[in-house]
């Protein structure tokens, strides 16, 4: 029992530590302020291999290359916006973990809603049209229906 508990604790600790080691010591900047900026920017960029992790958390080679690129742009004097703009220009909007709102994104998110509303409207109008197209009962049909409903034939 103790052995299993120790193994579980070791696995839990090693799972949490791997993300902290994603940024390699050789890529870190010597200036703590610049390194903090680089880490903040790295948390905003998506690992294109892992796709649901930031490059700050990913240990993939491409994430390493992107982290180095971010640090190079910061060393060259780029502001945070300029560094992000440079990377987005190279890799596309998909590299951002939280994409910016623009017309393409609005169309991407709005199209399913519009299609659902149009489909619901189409079904509602179709149901109304079917209900309205049945001819009214003749007087003989009304008498027959009344007789059936009253239980006599």
């Amino acid at each position: 029992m103790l052995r299993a508990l120790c193994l579980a604790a070791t696995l839990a600790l090693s799972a949490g530590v791997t993300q902290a080691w994603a940024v390699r010591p050789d890529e870190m900047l010597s200036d703590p302020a610049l390194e903090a900026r680089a880490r903040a920017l790295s948390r905003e960029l998506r690992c294109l291999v892992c796709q649901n992790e930031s490059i700050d958390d990913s240990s993939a080679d491409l994430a390493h290359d992107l982290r180095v690129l971010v640090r190079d742009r910061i060393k060259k004097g780029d502001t945070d916006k300029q560094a992000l703009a440079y990377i987005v220009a190279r890799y596309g909007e998909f590299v951002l973990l939280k994409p910016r709102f623009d017309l393409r994104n609005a169309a991407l998110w709005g199209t399913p809603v519009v299609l659902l509303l149009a489909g619901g409207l189409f079904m509602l109008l179709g149901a109304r049209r079917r209900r309205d197209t049945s001819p009214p009962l003749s007087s003989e049909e009304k008498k027959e229906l009344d007789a059936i409903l009253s239980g006599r034939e």
Side-chain angles (χ1 to χ4, degrees):
M1 176 70 178
L2 181 64
R3 190 173 180 190
L5 193 59
C6 287
L7 179 63
T10 303
L11 287 174
L13 287 174
S14 66
V17 172
T18 56
Q19 288 187 351
W21 288 347
V23 177
R24 300 176 192 166
D26 63 328
E27 67 190 44
M28 296 176 110
L29 297 173
S30 58
D31 184 356
L34 293 180
E35 180 61 25
R37 280 182 55 206
R39 294 296 292 262
L41 286 175
S42 295
R43 283 186 213 102
E44 294 181 35
L45 297 172
R46 176 189 320 270
C47 173
L48 299 173
V49 175
C50 309
Q51 293 191 6
N52 223 9
E53 273 186 328
S54 71
I55 62 170
D56 197 47
D57 297 331
S58 174
S59 59
D61 289 336
L62 183 58
H64 167 72
D65 294 343
L66 284 170
R67 288 192 302 266
V68 169
L69 181 61
V70 166
R71 283 162 175 79
D72 286 344
R73 298 307 302 178
I74 288 174
K75 283 192 280 187
K76 288 181 181 177
D78 283 2
T79 64
D80 292 354
K81 286 184 179 184
Q82 289 172 331
L84 279 178
Y86 178 81
I87 292 171
V88 169
R90 280 184 87 175
Y91 294 96
E93 189 83 14
F94 183 72
V95 78
L96 295 174
L97 272 174
K98 295 178 183 172
R100 300 174 187 138
F101 184 78
D102 64 2
L103 189 57
R104 282 180 292 167
N105 291 345
L108 177 69
W109 287 97
T111 300
V113 174
V114 169
L115 289 175
L116 281 173
L117 290 174
L121 184 64
F122 179 74
M123 289 173 58
L124 181 67
L125 292 176
R128 273 195 181 168
R129 192 172 298 130
R130 267 185 262 125
R131 186 177 32 177
D132 293 343
T133 58
S134 59
L137 297 176
S138 67
S139 59
E140 284 182 26
E141 290 171 331
K142 285 183 186 178
K143 287 179 187 175
E144 285 181 37
L145 181 61
D146 287 339
I148 291 172
L149 291 176
S150 66
R152 43 175 202 190
E153 290 186 31

